[in-house]
Every structure is written in C-alpha cells, then in structure tokens.
Amino acid sequence: MPDRKPTVAIIHSSPISVPVYEPLFRALAPEVQVENVVEEGLLDSVVEAGGVTEALRARLLDAFARAEAQGADLLFSACSSVGEVADEASARASVPLVKVDEAMATHACRACSPGGRIGIVATLPTTLGPTARLLERVAAASQLRIEVSTRLVEGAFAALSAGDRAAHDAAVRREVASFASGVDVLVLSL
C-alpha cells in the first residue's frame, strides 16, 4: 500500500481564491494533497456585515474543525478578513494552522526600523483592521514600535470578482505607487 500524501486543507472564504492558491501549492509543495474547502458566500457576508459576526465566526470555526476531522495534516487560511478567527481555530486545532498573511507580517516587521511606518494596501475594507492588528501584534512580540497606515483600493475587488484581473492589478499598482513614498514598508492585503 503506498504511503499517504500529507493533506493541506485550504480554507477559502470565496471561490475567487481557489485558482490563486491551488496552483501555488501544487508548484511549491507537489508532495502534498491539496483539499480546497470553499465556504461559499462567506466573504460576501463578512463584507456586507462590515466584519466577522458571531454566526460567521461559528461557521468558519466549524469549517476548520471539519477539515481537520476529515484528515487534514495542515490547515491554511486563505483570507485576511477572517485572520482573527483563524487564530482562534489554530488554538483549538491539533494540527498546524497557517494564515496567508503571517509570513508577510513577520517579514514586514523585520524590514521596518523602530518607529517606522508600515503601509497596508487592501482591496476590501474588511481586511484593513485584521491586517493592521496582525502587524501590531507581530511588532509588539518583537518589541518593535511601528505606525500602521492603510489605503483601500476602491473597486479593485469588484473588478477581480467580475473577472477583470487587469483592472484590479492596475488599480492596485496605482495605489501602491502613490502610497509607497510615505511608508518604510508596504504590504498588500488583497
């Protein structure tokens, strides 16, 4: 009997992220089995509510728990808007849980000088708060004082959702170009 491949369950809050993350995992970690867990409509509900409600939190915690119960060896949260719920799920899980923006936050804080400014460019308003708080937590853990500034790229996510990646990317590039000179480090929270 062949050895079982380790399984990574990617928890998506929208089907829009599946064609981004699945090929990345297949290219960078071909030795793993990728399982996509798409919580249809979750991101739309988070955006509509202006954040994660108690009902959405419960739904997402259940998605992480189900993925683990179905044999996932690693859970991957593919959405910054629900990052704080992923933290809670990680504390409950018996397998590792990785958030899409964890490494970004660590690298951004390492690259920022004490008292420096980290800028966040986001395409959804619901990612701004969780991403800023993540950066602040990572900085505090390293005893680094930072200032976080944010910019929302209006209409970019709508363009992406409509299948116009070129318009999305162009809008993000324009915002990055106008924001970059005012910060020491810039991160994207798309």
Side-chain angles (χ1 to χ4, degrees):
M1 182 171 168
D3 290 336
R4 177 176 97 57
K5 284 180 155 185
T7 301
V8 174
I10 305 173
I11 311 299
H12 302 272
S13 60
S14 167
I16 200 164
S17 60
V18 174
V20 174
Y21 292 112
E22 186 171 345
L24 283 173
F25 271 90
R26 297 210 188 281
L28 298 173
E31 70 281 1
V32 303
Q33 173 68 37
V34 174
E35 297 291 334
N36 290 293
V37 178
V38 179
E39 286 297 305
E40 289 284 343
L42 181 71
L43 185 58
D44 292 337
S45 297
V46 170
V47 171
E48 184 177 302
V52 178
T53 64
E54 184 56 35
L56 295 171
R57 178 185 150 277
R59 178 179 167 192
L60 190 57
L61 288 172
D62 182 61
F64 282 112
R66 278 192 329 265
E68 181 180 355
Q70 292 172 355
D73 299 296
L74 183 133
L75 304 170
F76 182 84
S77 178
C79 180
S80 295
S81 290
V82 300
E84 291 160 325
V85 178
D87 290 334
E88 186 177 348
S90 180
R92 295 176 178 199
S94 60
V95 298
L97 189 152
V98 176
K99 297 184 334 183
V100 66
D101 50 7
E102 274 180 315
M104 173 198 70
T106 300
H107 288 291
C109 288
R110 284 184 186 153
C112 193
S113 58
R117 289 184 66 201
I118 298 178
I120 302 168
V121 172
T123 59
L124 285 173
T126 54
T127 66
L128 292 172
T131 303
R133 289 187 293 274
L134 174 62
L135 286 164
E136 290 163 353
R137 279 193 309 275
V138 170
S142 300
Q143 299 181 337
L144 175 67
R145 189 179 54 81
I146 62 167
E147 179 184 331
V148 176
S149 299
T150 63
R151 294 269 180 97
L152 178 64
V153 186
E154 296 285 349
F157 190 78
L160 184 63
S161 296
D164 193 348
R165 181 171 292 279
H168 167 275
D169 293 354
V172 170
R173 279 194 298 277
R174 281 191 302 275
E175 195 63 47
V176 165
S178 75
F179 194 25
S181 64
V183 296
D184 300 304
V185 176
L186 188 65
V187 299
L188 301 178
S189 185
L190 311 171

